[in-house]
Amino acid sequence: MNFLEDKGGSAGGGMPMDTLTTDAGYSVKATLPLSARDTLRVGSEFRHTHLDDWWDPVAGSSMMSPLTYWNVKDGTRNRLGTFAEWEAAWSPAWTTLLGVRNDVVWMDTGAVQPYSWQNSLGMGMMRMANPDAADARAFNARGRGRTDVNFDATALVRYTPSDTSAIEAGYARKTRSPNLYERYAWGTGGMSSSMNGWFGDANGYVGNPDLKPEIANTVSTTLSLHNAARKSWEVKLIPYYTYVQDFIDVERIGTLSNGFVKLRFANHDAILVGANLSAAAGLYEDDRIGSFRLSGVVGWVHGRNLDTGDALYHIMPLNALLTMEHRLGGWNSAVELQATARKDRVEAARNEPKTPSYALVNLRTGYEWGNVRVDAGVENLFDRQYYLPLGGVDYADFRAGGSRGTVGALPGAGRSFIAGMTVKF
C-alpha cells in the first residue's frame, strides 16, 4: 500500500499490510489395470492452508492506530479428498468412465481486532463512526468453525465409430467450498472492506461465514472430426450447460465514499451456457520452404444469476484466435489474429464496465537447436487501443483525475516486444 522507505513510514505514505501463508499437502494416485477392459484409478489428496493477514498501526494516524488490524488471524483451511474412477473399454468403439469423489473441508479462524475498539475515531475537528469495532465484536462472539462435506461425480461415454470421428457425452458434478477471505473477511467499514478483493474493480468486499459450497452440475457434448493421423485437419465442437446451486456471488450492502460499492459474498443460483469450437488444417508442406498450418479457436459463454437476473461477473464475450503457423527445420513462426466482441452484458451489482470490440495482430518466431531455444515476438503489432473485458477498472487514472467522474475499463497493453531464451538440461 505504498508504504515504502522513501515515504518515511508516515501516515501520508500509505498503510502497511502483511500476509503470511503456509501451504502443505500431499497427493497420492494409483492406476490399477483390472483387466484388458477395465482400469481403476484411485487417489487421495490433502491440502492445508494457514493464513495470517494483519495491518500494522500507522504512527500519527487517527484512523489507522493504535492497534494492529487483524483482517484474518490464524485462519486455517484443510481439505481431504479421496476419489475413484473406473474406465471400461467395452469395444473398440465404446468407452465409459465413471468417477466419484469426496472432499471434507475444515475451516476456522481466530479472534480479530480493529485499529481501535472505540466507538468513534477522531479526525481533527471531525468525528466519524467506527463500524469495524462493532463488526469485530460480533465476529468474535460467534462460532467460526465450518465443516463442508462435498461429493462429486463424473459420468462419460465415448463413441468412436471410425478413425475420423468421435462423440462424447458427459455429466459432471463439481463442488467448491469458499476460500478464507470469502468466509472470514469481516470489516464492513469503507477502508477495511475496500482492502479485500482480488477482482480489480476497486469495490469493497465483506466475507460471509454462513456461505455454502457452490455445486456446479454440467452436461456437455464433444463432437470431433479429423483425418486418421490427426495431422491434415481436425474440427472439435464442445457445447455445454451448467447449473450452479449456491453460486458464490455478491450482494450490495452499501457504498464507498468514492462512488464504488460495498459487497458481501452471498449464495445465489446461476446458469452458464456456452460452446467452444476449434479447428486446424495443414495448408501446404514442402521440404524446401517448410509447412504451413492454419488453426482457430472460438469461445462463447452466457452467464446469469437466477435469483437477481443480473449477468455473472467476469464473463468473457465472444472471442476468437486465428493462427497461421510456419515450420522449417528449427524455425517456428506464427501470425495471430485475436478478436473479441463488445462486452455489453455486465454485472450491475459491481458496476462492471462495458468494453468495445477489438482485434489485435501478434507476431512470434523462435529457433531451436539442441537444448537451446530463442524466441522473439511483437504483441499488438499495430499499437491498437483496446480495453480488457476481464481486466477490471482503470483505478489509477480515476485517482489521478481527482476521483471524479465514471471510472472506465482497464486499457490493454500497447505494442510490446518480447524476447526470451530457454535452455534445457
Side-chain angles (χ1 to χ4, degrees):
M1 295 301 294
N2 200 29
F3 203 88
L4 305 177
E5 293 182 359
D6 64 319
K7 302 297 182 181
S10 64
M15 55 188 296
M17 304 176 71
D18 297 286
T19 302
L20 179 62
T21 303
T22 303
D23 289 305
Y26 70 79
S27 177
V28 178
K29 301 178 183 180
T31 300
L32 308 174
L34 302 181
S35 67
R37 186 194 68 183
D38 303 311
T39 301
L40 180 66
R41 302 179 185 93
V42 296
S44 175
E45 298 175 342
F46 177 74
R47 174 73 178 271
H48 163 78
T49 299
H50 181 274
L51 171 67
D52 282 325
D53 186 333
W54 71 98
W55 314 340
D56 291 322
V58 178
S61 171
S62 57
M63 292 184 61
M64 296 180 286
S65 66
L67 305 175
T68 296
Y69 186 107
W70 279 95
N71 192 33
V72 178
K73 186 175 184 180
D74 196 25
T76 57
R77 188 180 193 272
N78 297 303
R79 177 175 60 85
L80 176 63
T82 55
F83 70 88
E85 183 180 85
W86 169 46
E87 183 175 2
W90 301 96
S91 71
W94 289 96
T95 303
T96 59
L97 186 147
L98 295 173
V100 293
R101 181 183 178 103
N102 167 243
D103 283 283
V104 181
V105 181
W106 300 273
M107 297 178 64
D108 204 351
T109 187
V112 296
Q113 176 178 276
Y115 280 118
S116 171
W117 288 106
Q118 302 300 317
N119 291 329
S120 62
L121 296 172
M123 295 185 64
M125 298 299 294
M126 301 174 57
R127 301 186 69 80
M128 63 180 295
N130 178 17
D132 287 340
D135 292 337
R137 289 190 177 96
F139 184 85
N140 292 340
R142 67 178 301 173
R144 298 177 296 277
R146 297 292 184 271
T147 300
D148 301 326
V149 181
N150 304 328
F151 292 95
D152 295 339
T154 301
L156 175 72
V157 58
R158 181 185 302 113
Y159 175 54
T160 310
S162 68
D163 291 340
T164 61
S165 62
I167 302 173
E168 292 182 3
Y171 163 79
R173 170 192 165 105
K174 302 292 185 181
T175 309
R176 183 184 77 88
S177 289
N179 63 40
L180 286 166
Y181 287 103
E182 288 171 334
R183 267 195 169 142
Y184 295 135
W186 54 272
T188 63
M191 181 180 65
S192 55
S193 63
S194 63
M195 296 300 103
N196 290 298
W198 47 95
F199 306 99
D201 58 9
N203 293 314
Y205 286 85
V206 181
N208 182 352
D210 296 324
L211 279 178
K212 301 175 183 178
E214 59 183 19
I215 304 171
N217 297 274
T218 301
V219 290
S220 64
T221 302
T222 301
L223 308 175
S224 177
L225 299 173
H226 48 81
N227 73 310
R230 292 181 181 264
K231 287 185 177 181
S232 298
W233 61 273
E234 58 180 328
V235 179
K236 183 180 290 187
L237 174 64
I238 307 175
Y240 59 89
Y241 172 88
T242 299
Y243 166 69
V244 188
Q245 179 184 353
D246 293 322
F247 178 74
I248 298 176
D249 207 332
V250 296
E251 58 187 11
R252 285 194 182 186
I253 59 172
T255 58
L256 301 174
S257 60
N258 55 7
F260 294 92
V261 294
K262 287 192 286 187
L263 305 158
R264 189 191 306 276
F265 290 105
N267 291 117
H268 293 281
D269 291 345
I271 61 167
L272 295 100
V273 182
N276 296 316
L277 174 65
S278 61
L283 301 180
Y284 183 79
E285 185 171 356
D286 184 275
D287 292 339
R288 185 166 50 88
I289 65 174
S291 62
F292 294 85
R293 182 176 177 84
L294 182 66
S295 62
V297 179
V298 179
W300 171 81
V301 62
H302 168 87
R304 181 162 58 93
N305 185 317
L306 295 178
D307 295 333
T308 66
D310 205 355
L312 296 185
Y313 191 56
H314 272 181
I315 296 294
M316 188 70 178
L318 178 68
N319 62 95
L321 178 65
L322 185 65
T323 304
M324 173 68 78
E325 188 175 10
H326 171 250
R327 291 178 178 270
L328 177 61
W331 284 105
N332 182 0
S333 304
V335 180
E336 297 176 344
L337 175 62
Q338 178 185 350
T340 302
R342 171 180 171 82
K343 181 176 174 63
D344 51 15
R345 279 191 54 80
V346 294
E347 187 177 38
R350 308 196 207 201
N351 292 332
E352 185 179 12
K354 298 180 179 181
T355 56
S357 59
Y358 63 89
L360 306 176
V361 176
N362 306 318
L363 303 178
R364 58 179 172 85
T365 187
Y367 186 75
E368 183 173 0
W369 68 98
N371 297 330
V372 179
R373 178 182 175 89
V374 177
D375 291 281
V378 183
E379 296 187 351
N380 192 1
L381 176 65
F382 298 108
D383 202 23
R384 289 286 306 275
Q385 182 177 14
Y386 66 103
Y387 296 88
L388 298 167
L390 308 184
V393 300
D394 189 3
Y395 189 63
D397 283 350
F398 177 73
R399 289 291 302 271
S403 300
R404 295 186 298 271
T406 303
V407 65
L410 187 69
R415 184 187 296 116
S416 303
F417 298 90
I418 299 173
M421 182 174 67
T422 304
V423 180
K424 301 176 183 179
F425 55 90

